[in-house]
Amino acid sequence: MGAPGFTTVKELDLRNFVTEVFLAKGFSVENAATASDVLLLADLRGIDSHGVARLSGYLRLIDAGRINPNPNFQLTHRKKTIAALDADGSIGLISAPFAMKAAIEMGSEYGSGWVGISNSNHFGIAAYHAMMALENKMIGFSMTNASPLVTPARGSERMLGTNPICVAVPAGKKPAFVLDMATSAAANGKLEIAERLGKELPEGWVMDKNGQSDRNPSGLKNGGMLLPLGSDAEHGAHKGYGLGSWVDIFSGVLTGANFGPWVPPFVSFLQPLPNLPGKGLGHFVGCWEVDGFRDYNDFTANMDLWIDRFENTKTPDGSSLPVIIPGTPERLAHEERKTAGIPLVEAVYQDLHQIRTQLQLSQNFE
Amino acid sequence: MGAPGFTTVKELDLRNFVTEVFLAKGFSVENAATASDVLLLADLRGIDSHGVARLSGYLRLIDAGRINPNPNFQLTHRKKTIAALDADGSIGLISAPFAMKAAIEMGSEYGSGWVGISNSNHFGIAAYHAMMALENKMIGFSMTNASPLVTPARGSERMLGTNPICVAVPAGKKPAFVLDMATSAAANGKLEIAERLGKELPEGWVMDKNGQSDRNPSGLKNGGMLLPLGSDAEHGAHKGYGLGSWVDIFSGVLTGANFGPWVPPFVSFLQPLPNLPGKGLGHFVGCWEVDGFRDYNDFTANMDLWIDRFENTKTPDGSSLPVIIPGTPERLAHEERKTAGIPLVEAVYQDLHQIRTQLQLSQNFE
């Protein structure tokens, strides 16, 4: 059902299936529910690259002993508003929500709270973690480093992940402002779409391994690298590189995780480098209590005004495309998919079927 | 002396002169010294657009009653780690260092500290404020909104300032990592240089008032607008717009200052809009204590490793340009100008002379 090449499944069925998969792999009931919730939110919000499409990759890393399905989290409160979490080889899908809860507790008492996470694996969508702050009348913040794919400005070597930054800000009658952006010019998901369609890439997304521009949609797979936001020297590639570096330093260096080229790969067929400087990969999460700065209701009234004014930005002559508030396309996808179901591309659909067969699960997802 | 069209002056002479100018305008001794220190650091670091080149503009705003030279700062501690500063119509050159000191005090006790500043004016270089954290073994953070010049992605209206983000991170034997970046594709200073040289702009910097690409170096002055980092839809302009929006929300909405198109202009010949939603313009500053996350010396040792590894990133075949750590060009300029002096472009040099004559100052700067 749905668009050609896609099968649409119901949220609840998919959620129950994914939960059962994690349970079968040894996750606790609570952790399986959380991990499933993070993946489902990605699929609901239309971030298909970070949803159940990742599931088979996670399972291979669990089977290879590179993701610990049953971790013993060690949270160390080193300051009143800062803690360090050793995620015990677990995965960001569960370590980051755990850390974010601790950050929100500190924030409730002191106005802000921060947790650096080491010894972790893939984060899931950054927005899940930051958005946990919203219901607490807080601004949420999250970032993670990731397998190296992006070159620094002026370089030609994979040194940084697509290292996202997420900031989630509550509003009043309007929906929240949710900025969740990779610090590369183009995210991996866009390359996958171009490759599937056999379409040439725009200049400024990918560089080949010799440092030359590459418009082949398979250029990254052929040993090339992604370019930082800004793409080239004239358009501010040093800024995208600077942002990605900031994320790497906060997620890796500050937490005691790995950083730069040492961040472990997400795929089981690539091994981590020898002599790693840290443990696993790292994340950084935290929150600010809005009422620390000004009255919450005054703030949200002005956020509504901000959103309304920006939605009504003048657009170029002849354009019918309005200015978009960060987080809006994802929220609209969520509203639609919540009722209409989640469209799974054929390869992912088959992947899930295979998982179901291999694990001999009773739960179906269609 | 120096390059043609430039006169080189000694740091100390210029510093004393600028201090005397602020004193003559009614600044307290302490505030005059701080404001002068912020401007001089910009000139020393080679950020000429944010140094003494701004002085005559500040004086016009003081004369027009739009900068209060003798403010009564109101700092309200609303949470243990968050305070709100009403800068009483003053200027960021002094309100932001004042706020940063308060943030560092909170950080020393609780691990982090944050101050939202409203009712302020021009920030100076963001790096000055964030770098105050470094000597306290903290990571510094600063942002500010600014007069609207940048259009949101898909829009064609000046809605955001060049809204910089600064993060300053201490290292060990290596110099600190200092990211200080505008969230537009190109900063105003680059346009001024192109205009001075009569050079066409690259695509992706400026759009004219009808929403068409504009390569005229005077395009911004002719009613056009700057484009966000990313420049166009294919290269992530929504990300630069998202970052600039984040800065605007934190600096304006969260603090009770103005935001978006309502941020007051920096020039005395343009009036603020009527029915402003907030007070003046706003800034956001704060800090994290490194030791809250992990042992400080372990952290700085890994920062040194991070910096060393990134400095040694592979570069494209045939390139002799190494990868640069954020903050390095500014630090090298500082080292050079500290001894060789500060080169002032002719227009600025004449400007300062005129100020000296008008204010009948005894202090000279050459």
Side-chain angles (χ1 to χ4, degrees):
Chain A
M1 299 210 294
F6 288 84
T7 305
T8 300
V9 302
K10 283 192 193 137
E11 178 204 341
L12 188 63
D13 293 341
L14 191 59
R15 179 182 296 274
N16 289 339
F17 170 74
V18 174
T19 306
E20 206 174 324
V21 170
F22 283 123
L23 285 171
K25 283 292 175 178
F27 279 49
S28 71
V29 171
E30 189 191 345
N31 285 343
T34 303
S36 169
D37 200 39
V38 177
L39 287 191
L40 261 290
L41 189 70
D43 282 312
L44 286 167
R45 287 172 71 84
I47 317 295
D48 300 347
S49 57
H50 283 61
V52 296
R54 293 269 182 177
L55 191 58
S56 62
Y58 294 151
L59 301 189
R60 283 189 291 273
L61 286 169
I62 292 171
D63 292 343
R66 297 213 342 233
I67 291 178
N68 176 3
N70 192 19
N72 181 16
F73 287 156
Q74 297 290 338
L75 185 74
T76 311
H77 280 280
R78 295 178 58 96
K79 298 280 167 182
K80 290 191 176 72
T81 64
I82 302 181
L85 177 65
D86 183 324
D88 194 22
S90 173
I91 186 163
L93 306 186
I94 59 173
S95 67
F98 180 91
M100 194 67 195
K101 262 183 220 158
I104 289 169
E105 273 173 36
M106 292 187 281
S108 301
E109 187 162 356
Y110 298 103
S112 63
W114 309 97
V115 182
I117 308 167
S118 66
N119 206 359
S120 190
N121 280 287
H122 195 254
F123 201 42
I125 47 167
Y128 184 94
H129 317 303
M131 288 172 74
M132 286 173 66
L134 296 175
E135 65 201 54
N136 297 284
K137 302 188 175 179
M138 292 175 176
I139 294 169
F141 187 69
S142 65
M143 33 173 61
T144 184
N145 64 12
S147 309
L149 288 174
V150 181
T151 181
R154 318 213 308 180
S156 63
E157 184 177 0
R158 295 175 171 191
M159 294 287 280
L160 293 165
T162 51
N163 295 6
I165 298 173
C166 181
V167 186
V169 183
K173 291 171 187 163
K174 296 275 187 178
F177 170 102
V178 182
L179 174 69
D180 181 0
M181 52 169 271
T183 50
S184 52
N188 232 333
K190 288 198 179 171
L191 268 72
E192 284 165 13
I193 293 169
E195 197 171 18
R196 207 181 299 144
L197 302 173
K199 263 183 67 175
E200 215 176 28
L201 304 181
E203 292 278 349
W205 285 17
V206 171
M207 180 186 268
D208 72 18
K209 59 188 167 193
N210 301 316
Q212 304 307 311
S213 171
D214 191 352
R215 303 189 57 182
N216 183 335
S218 308
L220 185 62
K221 289 191 181 162
N222 298 339
M225 59 213 80
L226 293 171
L227 291 167
L229 175 61
S231 294
D232 60 32
E234 263 184 348
H235 297 89
H238 60 290
K239 297 179 183 180
Y241 152 57
L243 291 168
S245 299
W246 169 25
V247 175
D248 192 40
I249 288 168
F250 271 44
S251 305
V253 186
L254 193 56
T255 64
N258 291 298
F259 44 84
W262 293 290
V263 175
F266 286 142
V267 289
S268 57
F269 58 86
L270 290 178
Q271 294 305 311
L273 295 177
N275 305 318
L276 295 176
K279 294 203 279 187
L281 62 77
H283 324 301
F284 182 90
V285 300
C287 59
W288 292 273
E289 196 169 19
V290 169
D291 202 59
F293 296 96
R294 64 185 297 204
D295 175 78
Y296 184 77
N297 293 326
D298 292 346
F299 172 77
T300 55
N302 271 8
M303 271 307 292
D304 287 352
L305 176 61
W306 189 96
I307 291 168
D308 186 64
R309 182 66 186 85
F310 275 75
E311 283 178 337
N312 287 290
T313 301
K314 183 175 178 293
T315 53
D317 295 348
S319 167
S320 58
L321 299 173
V323 165
I324 294 173
I325 306 303
T328 302
E330 294 84 356
R331 181 177 50 80
L332 295 177
H334 191 162
E335 283 169 13
E336 190 194 325
R337 293 181 173 193
K338 193 93 192 161
T339 50
I342 295 168
L344 297 177
V345 70
E346 187 59 21
V348 171
Y349 183 78
Q350 293 302 338
D351 229 22
L352 298 184
H353 262 290
Q354 208 177 342
I355 291 169
R356 182 169 181 271
T357 308
Q358 277 173 354
L359 297 179
Q360 300 180 299
L361 299 182
S362 59
Q363 177 69 46
N364 210 335
F365 52 86
E366 54 197 322
Chain B
M1 297 207 297
F6 288 85
T7 304
T8 300
V9 302
K10 284 191 193 138
E11 178 205 341
L12 188 63
D13 293 341
L14 191 58
R15 179 182 296 275
N16 289 340
F17 170 75
V18 174
T19 306
E20 205 174 326
V21 170
F22 283 124
L23 285 171
K25 284 292 175 178
F27 278 50
S28 70
V29 171
E30 190 190 343
N31 285 344
T34 303
S36 170
D37 200 38
V38 177
L39 287 192
L40 262 289
L41 188 70
D43 282 312
L44 286 167
R45 286 172 71 82
I47 316 296
D48 300 347
S49 56
H50 282 59
V52 296
R54 293 267 182 178
L55 191 58
S56 63
Y58 294 150
L59 301 190
R60 283 189 291 273
L61 286 169
I62 293 171
D63 292 344
R66 292 196 8 217
I67 292 178
N68 176 2
N70 192 18
N72 181 17
F73 287 157
Q74 297 289 340
L75 185 74
T76 310
H77 279 281
R78 295 177 57 95
K79 298 279 167 184
K80 290 191 175 71
T81 64
I82 302 181
L85 176 65
D86 183 323
D88 194 23
S90 172
I91 186 164
L93 305 187
I94 58 173
S95 66
F98 181 90
M100 195 67 195
K101 260 183 221 158
I104 289 169
E105 272 173 35
M106 292 187 281
S108 301
E109 187 161 356
Y110 298 104
S112 62
W114 310 97
V115 182
I117 308 168
S118 65
N119 206 359
S120 190
N121 279 287
H122 195 256
F123 201 42
I125 46 167
Y128 184 95
H129 318 303
M131 288 172 74
M132 286 173 66
L134 295 175
E135 65 200 55
N136 297 285
K137 302 187 174 181
M138 293 175 175
I139 293 170
F141 187 68
S142 65
M143 31 173 63
T144 185
N145 64 12
S147 309
L149 288 175
V150 182
T151 181
R154 319 214 305 181
S156 63
E157 184 178 359
R158 295 177 171 189
M159 293 287 280
L160 294 164
T162 51
N163 294 6
I165 299 174
C166 181
V167 187
V169 183
K173 290 171 188 162
K174 296 276 187 178
F177 170 101
V178 181
L179 175 68
D180 181 0
M181 53 169 271
T183 51
S184 52
N188 233 334
K190 287 197 181 174
L191 268 71
E192 284 164 14
I193 293 169
E195 197 172 18
R196 208 181 298 143
L197 303 174
K199 264 183 68 174
E200 215 176 26
L201 304 180
E203 291 278 351
W205 285 17
V206 171
M207 180 185 267
D208 71 18
K209 59 188 167 191
N210 301 316
Q212 304 307 310
S213 171
D214 191 352
R215 303 189 57 184
N216 183 334
S218 308
L220 185 63
K221 288 191 181 162
N222 298 339
M225 59 213 81
L226 294 171
L227 291 167
L229 175 60
S231 295
D232 60 32
E234 263 184 348
H235 297 90
H238 60 290
K239 296 179 184 181
Y241 152 57
L243 291 167
S245 298
W246 169 25
V247 174
D248 192 40
I249 289 168
F250 271 44
S251 305
V253 186
L254 193 56
T255 64
N258 291 298
F259 45 84
W262 292 289
V263 175
F266 286 142
V267 288
S268 56
F269 59 86
L270 290 177
Q271 294 304 312
L273 295 177
N275 304 317
L276 295 177
K279 294 202 279 187
L281 62 77
H283 324 300
F284 182 89
V285 300
C287 59
W288 292 274
E289 196 169 20
V290 168
D291 202 59
F293 297 95
R294 65 185 297 205
D295 175 79
Y296 184 76
N297 293 326
D298 291 345
F299 171 76
T300 54
N302 271 9
M303 271 307 292
D304 286 351
L305 176 61
W306 190 96
I307 291 168
D308 186 65
R309 182 65 186 85
F310 276 75
E311 283 178 337
N312 287 288
T313 301
K314 185 175 175 295
T315 53
D317 295 346
S319 168
S320 59
L321 299 173
V323 165
I324 294 173
I325 305 304
T328 302
E330 295 84 356
R331 180 178 50 79
L332 295 177
H334 192 161
E335 283 169 13
E336 191 194 324
R337 293 181 173 194
K338 193 94 191 161
T339 50
I342 296 168
L344 297 177
V345 69
E346 187 59 21
V348 171
Y349 182 78
Q350 293 302 338
D351 230 21
L352 298 185
H353 261 289
Q354 207 176 342
I355 291 169
R356 183 169 181 271
T357 307
Q358 278 174 354
L359 297 179
Q360 300 180 298
L361 299 182
S362 59
Q363 177 68 44
N364 210 336
F365 52 88
E366 56 196 320

